[in-house]
Amino acid sequence: MTSDYRAMHCYRPIMAHGDKRSVTFEFSPRAGEAPSPWPEGKWTSRIRHIEAGSFDEEAKRNFASHWTLINPDVLELPDVLGEFSWAEGIFPVFRRELMEAILAADAELCSFVPVSQLYDLRHGRVIDKPEYFFAAVKQTKDSLDVDNSETKTISFHDGSTIPGLMPKSRVHRSAMKGAMLWRDQKSREVLCTSEFKALAEAAGCVGMEFYEVGVSEA
């Protein structure tokens, strides 16, 4: 990474809502069946897996034994399936070209696991040899400037809360130093710099768009 962080913009990479090429995914034991959740007790510590930035061995076994189901409006699939989220157990799938571009830029940005079984529910087809990979962001940063941000409170059943990003949320510019893609420690949202945005757009990132987040000069 060679760009000057002092001139960087910050973005939240999200699903390209309103684009008919955008595709979500779910899981099922067999193709053609209604989507089902992970088997009870088989998907462990999902939020810790996200914060750790990697998929544990049990997750990898579940990925290999379940079909990844999509219901796309179009035959030609986008570069990105699903999206990053603050919510546990939600992560995107990247096409090989995008994955390789990320690894070439910085192998410590993401960890990847191949999608082994991909089924198109709408068109009744198995996607042979899918060139897609589940992606988890490795790096975390304390980047949200809570004191100078508009946020919303997201509450959980255990009584804990996190600040949710709003249009006037801001991140500390100093937190962007040496960063390209990271998960914010407070909001759990995935954020990136304009350097990552340019890299993704050059490699191909149909299905994902970048929502700009304000930056505090601190």
Side-chain angles (χ1 to χ4, degrees):
M1 292 177 285
T2 59
S3 300
D4 185 348
Y5 78 97
R6 291 168 295 186
M8 286 283 186
H9 293 269
C10 182
Y11 298 90
R12 182 160 62 100
I14 61 175
M15 181 178 291
H17 296 285
D19 188 335
K20 68 178 183 179
R21 296 171 297 178
S22 295
V23 178
T24 58
F25 63 87
E26 297 184 69
F27 299 98
S28 178
R30 289 182 293 276
E33 292 189 351
S36 68
W38 293 106
E40 187 68 25
K42 295 298 184 182
W43 183 256
T44 60
S45 305
R46 290 186 290 181
I47 192 63
R48 288 199 296 273
H49 118 72
I50 289 177
E51 291 176 342
S54 62
F55 299 109
D56 62 24
E57 292 305 312
E58 191 163 15
K60 294 175 183 178
R61 289 194 296 271
N62 278 322
F63 286 148
S65 64
H66 282 65
W67 284 91
T68 301
L69 302 179
I70 56 175
N71 191 28
D73 288 331
V74 294
L75 282 169
E76 184 176 351
L77 299 181
D79 303 301
V80 179
L81 311 177
E83 64 181 339
F84 291 116
S85 173
W86 58 262
E88 62 181 81
I90 297 179
F91 37 81
V93 168
F94 290 166
R95 195 186 292 275
R96 178 180 293 278
E97 288 80 2
L98 179 54
M99 178 199 71
E100 291 179 344
I102 292 171
L103 290 175
D106 187 342
E108 294 305 311
L109 289 180
C110 294
S111 59
F112 295 99
V113 175
V115 175
S116 58
Q117 302 176 104
L118 184 60
Y119 187 78
D120 180 344
L121 287 166
R122 177 158 302 191
H123 302 102
R125 58 176 178 159
V126 173
I127 308 300
D128 292 326
K129 298 179 180 178
E131 294 286 287
Y132 286 98
F133 297 80
F134 298 106
V137 174
K138 289 184 176 183
Q139 189 173 18
T140 61
K141 276 183 170 285
D142 186 6
S143 57
L144 181 63
D145 183 357
V146 176
D147 293 336
N148 294 297
S149 288
E150 174 190 16
T151 61
K152 61 183 178 181
T153 300
I154 299 174
S155 302
F156 300 95
H157 294 302
D158 63 1
S160 63
T161 62
I162 61 172
L165 297 190
M166 297 285 284
K168 293 184 180 180
S169 295
R170 305 175 73 85
V171 300
H172 293 287
R173 183 171 298 283
S174 56
M176 297 167 63
K177 184 177 182 179
M180 187 186 287
L181 180 73
W182 70 96
R183 186 177 294 278
D184 176 66
Q185 291 176 1
K186 294 188 180 77
S187 67
R188 301 181 187 169
E189 293 282 5
V190 171
L191 302 171
C192 70
T193 63
S194 41
E195 188 173 10
F196 179 84
K197 178 176 180 287
L199 176 155
E201 290 174 341
C205 60
V206 171
M208 183 167 66
E209 63 183 8
F210 296 87
Y211 181 85
E212 188 162 4
V213 179
V215 178
S216 297
E217 298 302 323

